[in-house]
Amino acid sequence: MSSSQQYQAESPKRVRLTRREKEILSLIGEGHPSKRVAEMLFVSKRTVDFHLDNIYHKLHVKNRLQALQLARRLGLLSASEVGDSGVGLEEP
């Protein structure tokens, strides 16, 4: 099964993100780097990265851009929760 077929096979009922994972993904989608997300949530950058790794694993993706796109496609995050600019999606 190709990656695109795998993504299409996923359904919102099968993929569940925690409230915190959604919060972090939303902030990343707004263009904030992990370090800034950590500051905003009063946690360490390592904690944010840990949550991102969990998100990547659950969604079967390799980076934040793929995670954001797939989360939107699956209805896990609304378009308003995820910025469309793509700014800040790559770690400096």
Side-chain angles (χ1 to χ4, degrees):
M1 180 181 292
S2 76
S3 337
S4 62
Q5 289 172 329
Q6 180 180 2
Y7 297 149
Q8 291 171 0
E10 296 290 347
S11 73
K13 292 179 182 178
R14 293 189 63 205
V15 177
R16 303 227 183 228
L17 298 180
T18 66
R19 180 186 54 81
R20 190 58 139 191
E21 289 167 346
K22 288 180 183 180
E23 185 176 22
I24 288 172
L25 200 53
S26 293
L27 290 170
I28 294 293
E30 291 174 8
H32 301 290
S34 295
K35 184 176 179 181
R36 178 67 184 129
V37 171
E39 292 168 356
M40 294 168 77
L41 299 178
F42 303 102
V43 298
S44 71
K45 181 183 177 296
R46 185 173 179 196
T47 298
V48 170
D49 291 340
F50 174 80
H51 285 295
L52 285 172
D53 284 341
N54 286 340
I55 293 166
Y56 299 163
H57 178 74
K58 288 179 179 183
L59 296 176
H60 306 285
V61 298
K62 295 183 181 189
N63 61 53
R64 57 188 64 212
L65 181 58
Q66 290 175 348
L68 287 163
Q69 290 173 337
L70 185 56
R72 274 184 43 192
R73 193 172 341 151
L74 294 176
L76 299 172
L77 294 177
S78 68
S80 64
E81 292 177 299
V82 180
D84 291 322
S85 68
V87 175
L89 296 180
E90 296 300 323
E91 254 339 277

